[in-house]
Amino acid sequence: QLQASGGGLVQAGGSLGLSCAASGRTFSNYVMGWFRQAPGKEREFVAAVTWNGDSTYYADSVKGRFTISRDNAKNTVYLQMNNLKPEDTAVYYCATGWVFSRRTDGYRYWGQGTQVTVSS
């Protein structure tokens, strides 16, 4: 089970930090990823981190602004979002998979999502 938290309302240019805590099993061997879905749009890849944190991947739209990290001792993955833009407004989901993928079907377990709203 994955539980995402940390969403909220922020002004453009502001920052938010998301967390995703895993329970029920150990996800330290899994890739952890963040996706987002804006109203009327498909769910899209945001960022991912390999099981040991050595490799990270980002969508071009968030590169340089967002940072993904993980703490396997806490079974938690984080997404630090800086310089937020109105187009970052979406429900953010965390997910786990065996190997890195930018596709939603590459991830097996999903959290419930947390709303991020960026006002202009």
Side-chain angles (χ1 to χ4, degrees), residues 53-71:
D54 281 357
S55 296
T56 55
Y57 307 88
Y58 298 94
D60 288 343
S61 59
V62 307
K63 200 172 295 183
R65 300 187 298 121
F66 290 12
T67 302
I68 188 171
S69 61
R70 67 189 296 165
D71 185 338

Side-chain angles (χ1 to χ4, degrees), residues 25-43:
R25 62 169 56 223
T26 298
F27 289 93
S28 58
N29 294 328
Y30 289 74
V31 170
M32 301 289 291
W34 286 96
F35 286 74
R36 67 187 181 186
Q37 188 167 18
K41 295 188 176 182
E42 293 188 351
R43 194 170 298 188

Side-chain angles (χ1 to χ4, degrees), residues 1-5 19-23 27 32 74-77 94:
Q1 184 177 5
L2 301 175
Q3 182 73 35
S5 61
S19 299
C20 176
S23 61
F27 289 93
M32 301 289 291
K74 296 182 179 179
N75 236 9
T76 301
V77 64
C94 57

